[in-house]
Amino acid sequence: MWDEQAEHPVKIDENGMVHVYGHAETVEVYGDPRNYSNNIAPQFLGDTEDAGEFNSGSLLQSDPPHHTKLRKIISRAFTPRMVAGLEPRIVEITHELLGAADAEEAGGFEMVDDLTYPLPVIVIAELLGIPHSDRGLFKKWVDQMLAAAGVMAADDSTGEQSEDADTAAALRRVPEMLAYLHEHAADRRRKPRADLLSELVHAEVDGARLSDDAVVDFANELLVVGHGTTTALLGNMLLCLDAHPQEMERLRKDPARAPGVTEETLRFLSPIAGSYRLATADTELAGVRVSQGQLLTLWLGAANRDERVFEQPHVFDPDRTTNPHLGFGRGIHFCLGAPLARLEARVAVNILLDRYPTLRTDPDNPPEFLPIPDLIGTSKLPLLTG
Ligand code: HEM
């Protein structure tokens, strides 16, 4: 398959979907928002009104010039400094979650339920400024949202959900949660606090501000794109370390290796395997003709193993001197939450190795994987600590 990828970095299937496997070709599409649009919602939803409403505060579904302006305003609120300030809380929450898991059962725990699923939701909730007392409520809505997207559908017996249905469901939101976020946005307009919702409602660039609708849209988007992905990354790191015990030992001895392990995991087992674009003009990509209206899937997992870019692409090597992986995308839509995902990964993996002198997968109880093709991660990851 990988040889074929080098020979045919772009392919069109019988349904007209354009599949992009090569690194250079993926970078080309990411770098050309004029010809390859992010506004793919109408393709999936088939309902332009819904799609229009969704676009109002969504970065991911918008194109320039709307995207440029929106990202500028949001970046003024959601800053790397704000993310860095979350570190002490991420440490506390990680210990809190693992402490609860240890109290429940000695000798091991199930990492997805006990740590990697709840951690990113709690962190995003705290970032937004959701009161601690509403954490349970918030988690319930997020569960509903992700279940609708099929993200946590580990028990899905058919495994035959169509990508279109999955994506359309993922784009729908939980009305109670939207109403709740609206209330909080309105409250922060009146009484700002030290949280992201307050920063978002007050952020201004050249006199332009976000409406409450746009703030709620964006808060919702953070949960859609920032939760399942982080859950997947944390689990994938453990899988990579488990499969490479010498790397686990090196990290135990030197916690400063965590960023290298994180980046290599993003390359080797990219959580987002596929990212989408819509061709807005007739173009050509690696000699393949792409027509206006065709949908493209950029297979990041494949691009990240492109031997034209990565030496020994199938080897997990956290010491790569350069690692231009596309796990967080590239170009104008480059993941806005990358600093947060990297921080959570570094903190969580180092705490795990600190707390447990032994940490390994359970041969009698192997990991289970998410049943959807474009998110690579575990839905169950039982670990032994003794
Ligand atoms: C965009 C991956 C975590 C917020 C993206 C894109 C990728 C990605 C590939 C680009 C998609 C495209 O161009 O179509 C990931 C991975 C994560 C992660 C692998 C975890 C390991 C997060 C977190 C947040 C976040 C924690 C926020 C809390 C966003 C936003 C965008 C984005 C807002 C859209 C940016 C834009 O369109 O301008 N992410 N992400 N992500 N991500 Fe992440």
Side-chain angles (χ1 to χ4, degrees), residues 179-201:
Y180 176 92
L181 288 171
H182 255 288
E183 249 174 58
H184 277 272
D187 173 70
R188 299 309 191 280
R189 243 182 234 292
R190 292 189 300 270
K191 290 178 281 168
R193 298 188 207 163
D195 60 32
L196 181 58
L197 275 179
S198 303
E199 294 292 334
L200 287 168
V201 293

Side-chain angles (χ1 to χ4, degrees), residues 226-267:
H227 181 207
T229 47
T230 308
T231 301
L233 171 63
L234 300 178
N236 292 354
M237 278 177 91
L238 249 292
L239 288 180
C240 288
L241 292 172
D242 184 63
H244 301 87
Q246 72 285 10
E247 290 301 338
M248 191 177 302
E249 277 323 299
R250 292 174 81 191
L251 180 56
R252 259 186 211 291
K253 289 197 184 108
D254 181 7
R257 293 180 59 79
V261 171
T262 306
E263 298 310 307
E264 182 63 349
T265 303
L266 283 158
R267 185 192 73 82

Side-chain angles (χ1 to χ4, degrees), residues 56-106:
S56 60
S58 161
L59 281 175
L60 207 48
Q61 302 288 318
S62 67
D63 293 322
H66 179 74
H67 174 269
T68 319
K69 217 162 136 188
L70 193 61
R71 181 142 176 156
K72 225 175 179 176
I73 302 176
I74 288 174
S75 303
R76 193 148 285 189
F78 187 28
T79 59
R81 203 162 67 101
M82 172 178 259
V83 169
L86 288 170
E87 180 161 352
R89 275 301 289 147
I90 296 174
V91 170
E92 273 173 25
I93 299 163
T94 305
H95 278 299
E96 194 185 297
L97 290 167
L98 290 173
D102 291 345
E104 209 164 274
E105 206 183 323

